[in-house]
Amino acid sequence: MTSGGDAPGMNAAIRAVARTALYHGIEVVGIKNGYQGMIDKNFRRLESHMVSDIIQRGGTMLKSARSEEFMTEEGRRKAYNQVSEEGIDGLVVIGGDGTFKGARMFSLEHNIPVVGIPGTIDNDLYGTDYTIGYDTALNTIVEAVDKIRDTASSHNRLFFVEVMGKDAGFLALRGGIACGAEAILIPELNFDTTSLREHLEAGYKRSKLSNIILVAEGDETGGAFNIAEQVKDQFEGYDIRVTVLGHIQRGGSPSAFDRVIASQLGVAAVDALLDDQKSVMVGLMNREVVHIPFNRTIKHHKDVNRRLVDIQDILSI
Ligand code: F6P
């Protein structure tokens, strides 16, 4: 099952889970529309050929949803009844922290093993260095910002470019380094208008006439339009433009990196169920597969890499 926001590479993970299970002689059922599909008994038996030709596709062939009903005890009971009627005795859920919160409650209340695979472009899950979809989204950001750079430098403009990431700055930070952004504004770091202006003015004195600032969406920054509004009085003389990259960051064919980690984690998830693991997320740390209890990945906050923040600062003078 895939749940929450779709992410490129989810299909590669579905394929890996299905093929690994079939390899071990286990029957596989795809649940459509996330947790809501469990409640609605939206099940489909998966054979090997049904997951052919999907490794390269964005989105998710199982579709995805965020289910209000599953957040209630009654909804989860209904889901469990459907699942047990179908003879399903282990679940693999692909998604982010909301997905794992639901999975944890479900497995505690109904004693069914659930293994999670981290699939979100945000890369904000504790217990894994990478989530499926993050690398592809990052590459989409780089491609888009490189294009914006052409206009920024042709017109000597200051662009605020908003990238996704819910309340986390992972996409903005790595995206900023990869695009040579003049600054990044992310929820993990304090932002003040005066020091941003001083930073840009210092660049101007060194002949830097155009600037790109990546802004992480979310409540902390208020988004790129909000920042542009906030700074406009102090930034007289700057020709400011705002671009919100939006959902193009979630789509597209997954990168080779995302396809490979999706394959690794899909195999690892089935192995974990076969090893009688329950309520864990399979993740990758230092390139090794790890098993992190849902409880830990949900409760702990993953911090951005402070060394990368320094690198962004050093290189954006
Ligand atoms: O969690 C993935 C994500 O793309 C976030 O970066 C973003 O805040 C959110 O989903 C957007 O969700 P929706 O597609 O429901 O608007």
Side-chain angles (χ1 to χ4, degrees):
M1 182 191 88
T2 47
S3 160
D6 63 306
M10 280 183 162
N11 278 325
I14 293 167
R15 170 181 177 271
V17 170
R19 293 247 164 109
T20 310
L22 293 166
Y23 174 86
H24 288 292
I26 299 165
E27 285 176 16
V28 187
V29 174
I31 301 173
K32 294 194 84 177
N33 298 336
Y35 289 120
Q36 195 57 44
M38 271 163 87
I39 295 169
D40 301 338
K41 207 171 186 183
N42 202 343
F43 300 148
R44 182 156 66 134
R45 180 85 180 269
L46 293 183
E47 305 293 351
S48 186
H49 72 274
M50 293 162 91
V51 293
S52 290
D53 204 16
I54 63 166
I55 193 168
Q56 78 280 24
R57 296 189 200 285
T60 157
M61 68 169 276
L62 291 177
K63 300 193 182 281
S64 193
R66 294 186 174 107
S67 168
E68 294 287 325
E69 201 178 349
F70 192 80
M71 290 300 133
T72 66
E73 219 180 310
E74 173 61 18
R76 290 191 293 275
R77 190 167 332 108
K78 269 196 217 163
Y80 179 70
N81 291 340
Q82 306 285 32
V83 160
S84 54
E85 227 174 76
E86 187 73 16
I88 293 172
D89 43 25
L91 285 168
V92 177
V93 296
I94 306 168
D97 62 343
T99 303
F100 298 158
K101 276 181 195 144
R104 178 175 172 267
M105 285 189 285
F106 189 63
S107 123
L108 281 176
E109 286 165 5
H110 298 291
N111 194 28
I112 179 165
V114 188
V115 171
I117 297 180
T120 162
I121 65 162
D122 298 343
N123 203 33
D124 58 347
L125 286 170
Y126 177 88
T128 188
D129 293 337
Y130 296 104
T131 57
I132 296 166
Y134 174 61
D135 182 66
T136 308
L138 211 43
N139 280 294
T140 302
I141 290 170
V142 169
E143 200 188 326
V145 174
D146 285 353
K147 287 178 177 157
I148 292 169
R149 177 72 76 181
D150 291 344
T151 296
S153 59
S154 300
H155 288 266
N156 293 340
R157 281 181 180 160
L158 162 58
F159 269 88
F160 289 98
V161 180
E162 182 177 309
V163 299
M164 277 188 167
K166 215 172 246 164
D167 294 313
F170 298 95
L171 282 169
L173 173 56
R174 278 193 190 242
I177 293 174
C179 298
E182 278 60 41
I184 56 163
L185 304 178
I186 61 176
E188 293 84 352
L189 303 174
N190 292 331
F191 149 70
D192 87 85
T193 315
T194 309
S195 48
L196 178 65
R197 201 196 59 221
E198 284 168 2
H199 175 66
L200 299 186
E201 277 169 4
Y204 186 78
K205 286 188 188 129
R206 283 189 295 272
S207 311
K208 203 175 244 191
L209 304 180
S210 65
N211 293 284
I212 289 192
I213 300 178
L214 289 200
V215 182
E217 64 168 0
D219 295 341
E220 294 288 325
T221 63
F225 277 104
N226 178 51
I227 300 272
E229 190 58 33
Q230 258 182 56
V231 303
K232 75 169 194 256
D233 295 338
Q234 275 200 52
F235 279 60
E236 270 177 32
Y238 284 88
D239 189 7
I240 298 178
R241 293 290 188 280
V242 176
T243 303
V244 177
L245 295 187
H247 285 80
I248 65 160
Q249 295 161 93
R250 286 241 295 263
S253 178
S255 65
F257 183 85
D258 275 329
R259 297 180 198 193
V260 173
I261 66 165
S263 302
Q264 278 179 286
L265 293 172
V267 173
V270 176
D271 285 349
L273 281 178
L274 291 172
D275 284 346
D276 289 337
Q277 302 246 21
K278 29 180 89 164
S279 263
V280 294
M281 174 191 82
V282 287
L284 285 169
M285 288 180 98
N286 302 320
R287 300 193 200 152
E288 296 292 329
V289 169
V290 291
H291 300 96
I292 308 290
F294 282 144
N295 211 15
R296 269 177 66 202
T297 186
I298 293 162
K299 289 206 177 127
H300 286 73
H301 175 74
K302 180 173 172 185
D303 200 10
V304 292
N305 181 333
R306 296 285 151 170
R307 186 60 193 142
L308 287 183
V309 174
D310 293 343
I311 289 170
Q312 161 65 29
D313 280 348
I314 294 166
L315 300 182
S316 64
I317 55 171

